Amino acid sequence: MSKRRPTPPDSYTVLLIGGGGREHALAWKLRQSPRVKALYATHTQNAGIASLSQPIDHAHSMRELYRLELFCERAGVNLVVVGPEAPLAEGIAEKLTTPGRVVFGPGRQAAQLEADKAWAKQIMRAAAVPTAESRVFKHPEEAKRYLETREEAPVIKATGLAAGKGVYLPDTLEEAIKAIDEIMVQRRFGDAGAQVLLEERLSGPEASVLALVDGRSILVLDQAQDHKRIGEGDTGPNTGGMGAYCPAHVLTDEQMTRVEREVFLPIVDTLRRDDIEYRGILYAGLMLTPAGPKVLEFNVRFGDPECQALLPRMKCDFAELCWRTATGTLDECELSFDPRHACCVVLAQHGYPGESKKGAAITGVDEVERAGVHVFHASTTRSPSGELLSGGGRVLSVVAMGDTLEQARERANAAAATIRFEGKVYRRDIGAKALVTH
Ligand code: AMP
Ligand code: GLY
């Protein structure tokens, strides 16, 4: 006897978890859905999220998740959308799922694809997914002994969650030893650095390929390209991402089909064989090497800032898309992409990705919004008098659309220049690489 397929509810009361630019974009997209009756958010100190949602009734803490469960019951939440990886890795999806409530985002075990890079490599091996050769070490001395056998310095990664900062690309073996010490001995990322992964260094252009996965069906989204380094021309330290554009064409259509067949399908199947059902966004960070696309990492959520460049192009009822992903009925979903190009430029506070100051007054946001540019807040607050203030780090993501990538870039860069705050830094070359190579 076949199970009855769930049908989507007439209206959604949504809870959004997370507080950055990605989550502001998610809130904005959810708000477009006429069936979203109410939107609650855990992080309404973010002025952008606050403008679109209602706060929950307590101070959110992952240690007191029972309070969030109670809130969901009281408010009648029937859809929870989780933005960041950390709560997923801690098991928020299973904690908040009930017969009448679904969660967009994978369960705790599946989320280890991002939270435990050593386990992710095992799964990739079991699924025969193309990825860099690697070894895991539990002791710094063993890792260093292995280094002595190498001619070139490998990439060094903390295996746990390190907010995008746990990857080192040393040029010399001395730098590699320093990286191992920082991760394993000084414990710069705490327990996330209890083990390290030493990985073959690959080269080639990078692409972020994200797919919606409902346990079985896989819907691959248009490619986006992130810009990870802080400085123009890809210089300086790695960041969470300084900008993105979408669609990117790093991979050809044929390579995208291969990625679907050789990366997403086998991963989802391998997990299912272990009784792990993956539901949510699966993000493959890929490098196009001379031997074809290889996986650098998996993330279990939308990328930030890729999300801000993707969502304005997605034509769908986003609440329903999330609901269908969570209920295994993605095959009934209608999704298409706006043919226009999106360019997202991140405005950060001087000092990022290190320490940066908070509190600078921000002006010009209304003006660029009136011109049709999206401004997603990553780290802002509103003063009691209503002034918009920077919260430091990545402050805003400015997203412009255009009939061509050039046009989208020009608009985004003009908007980035119009918005002002003391200590503003941004890259003027987001998307420029695409114009040179294609
Ligand atoms: P990850 O957080 O694993 O995506 O790594 C962050 C960045 O480090 C990637 O976007 C790449 O630019 C770089 N990276 C990671 N792994 C490798 C690798 N095996 N070879 C070369 N670069 C890498
Ligand atoms: N922008 C890369 C990430 O979200 O991990």
Side-chain angles (χ1 to χ4, degrees):
M1 204 174 75
S2 68
K3 266 203 265 173
R4 235 183 79 230
R5 297 210 106 198
T7 44
D10 296 331
S11 70
Y12 294 95
T13 297
V14 187
L15 170 66
L16 174 65
I17 314 258
R22 165 183 54 211
E23 287 77 20
H24 182 191
L26 290 168
W28 168 80
K29 193 71 179 171
L30 285 162
R31 273 276 169 222
Q32 315 270 301
S33 163
R35 287 196 281 153
V36 170
K37 187 174 74 178
L39 174 63
Y40 294 99
T42 51
H43 288 65
T44 45
Q45 60 275 39
N46 175 318
I49 295 175
S51 70
L52 297 170
S53 64
Q54 292 166 257
I56 55 171
D57 60 0
H58 62 278
H60 170 60
S61 151
M62 280 300 292
R63 282 200 206 93
E64 296 182 320
L65 220 46
Y66 68 93
R67 297 183 71 181
L68 205 56
E69 285 179 66
L70 289 174
F71 172 79
C72 286
E73 258 162 52
R74 271 199 303 279
V77 170
N78 58 359
L79 172 65
V80 180
V81 177
V82 187
E85 62 280 12
L88 293 167
E90 287 182 40
I92 201 168
E94 35 280 81
K95 291 245 173 64
L96 294 184
T97 299
T98 65
R101 184 186 316 127
V102 301
V103 178
F104 177 79
R108 196 193 66 78
Q109 186 58 53
Q112 304 311 309
L113 268 188
E114 175 167 1
D116 181 353
K117 285 181 193 280
W119 186 73
K121 281 284 184 186
Q122 274 178 34
I123 298 289
M124 280 189 253
R125 237 169 265 138
V129 164
T131 183
E133 293 295 325
S134 69
R135 296 200 38 185
V136 181
F137 295 92
K138 291 193 169 79
H139 300 291
E141 294 316 317
E142 277 175 25
K144 287 179 201 170
R145 264 202 302 280
Y146 173 73
L147 275 186
E148 284 165 15
T149 68
R150 312 288 303 177
E151 271 168 34
E152 281 176 11
V155 178
I156 304 198
K157 300 182 175 183
T159 60
L161 288 181
K165 293 178 190 154
V167 175
Y168 291 72
L169 304 167
D171 289 320
T172 62
L173 292 174
E174 289 71 42
E175 281 175 37
I177 291 172
K178 238 178 93 198
I180 292 171
D181 281 335
E182 265 187 52
I183 297 172
M184 300 189 89
V185 182
Q186 291 149 31
R187 290 294 176 103
R188 192 172 155 211
F189 313 104
D191 287 347
Q195 298 185 61
V196 282
L197 196 75
L198 268 49
E199 188 173 278
E200 166 200 12
R201 186 160 179 164
L202 303 174
S203 62
E206 289 181 50
S208 309
V209 180
L210 283 71
L212 288 155
V213 180
D214 73 351
R216 224 162 258 271
S217 303
I218 295 167
L219 219 165
V220 179
L221 309 181
D222 277 1
Q223 294 171 62
Q225 193 176 43
D226 189 7
H227 294 60
K228 288 224 163 73
R229 307 291 197 97
I230 186 76
E232 282 169 23
D234 294 329
T235 52
N238 261 343
T239 69
M242 291 301 292
Y245 65 93
C246 180
H249 296 286
V250 179
L251 307 182
T252 60
D253 289 350
E254 194 213 318
Q255 285 165 334
M256 282 293 275
T257 308
R258 265 183 68 188
V259 165
E260 180 165 1
R261 269 206 314 261
E262 293 172 18
V263 176
F264 287 104
L265 264 169
I267 285 289
V268 172
D269 284 349
T270 301
L271 290 176
R272 211 176 45 233
R273 269 205 303 276
D274 287 347
D275 281 332
I276 303 169
E277 193 149 271
Y278 196 100
R279 290 186 172 180
I281 279 280
L282 182 56
Y283 167 136
L286 299 167
M287 193 168 255
L288 180 55
T289 74
K294 292 195 177 180
V295 175
L296 296 180
E297 63 161 349
F298 282 115
N299 294 326
V300 298
R301 32 97 193 155
F302 276 107
D304 184 341
E306 290 94 327
C307 181
Q308 293 91 307
L310 266 163
L311 289 187
R313 299 188 56 247
M314 274 166 72
K315 292 201 213 164
C316 60
D317 182 311
F318 191 65
E320 184 178 330
L321 189 73
C322 292
W323 188 90
R324 288 202 171 281
T325 304
T327 54
T329 56
L330 202 49
D331 54 340
E332 288 176 51
C333 221
E334 280 176 35
L335 171 67
S336 60
F337 281 89
D338 186 327
R340 287 177 303 163
H341 299 250
C343 178
C344 169
V345 175
V346 169
L347 309 186
Q349 190 78 51
H350 176 72
Y352 177 75
E355 292 294 310
S356 61
K357 280 203 218 139
K358 311 176 175 189
I362 304 172
T363 60
V365 171
D366 294 345
E367 189 181 335
V368 308
E369 282 182 335
R370 273 197 300 276
V373 172
H374 305 290
V375 180
F376 296 121
H377 297 212
S379 170
T380 63
T381 52
R382 203 50 85 187
S383 74
S385 61
E387 206 180 13
L388 188 63
L389 304 176
S390 154
R394 290 191 288 181
V395 180
L396 298 168
S397 337
V398 175
V399 186
M401 308 287 287
D403 292 330
T404 60
L405 177 59
E406 285 96 325
Q407 197 182 52
R409 287 192 64 227
E410 268 164 34
R411 286 180 180 160
N413 283 330
T418 302
I419 296 174
R420 288 177 197 276
F421 58 89
E422 206 187 312
K424 174 182 75 174
V425 288
Y426 68 99
R427 286 181 57 166
R428 289 160 189 78
D429 64 346
I430 305 301
K433 256 188 302 195
L435 301 176
V436 179
T437 50
H438 294 275

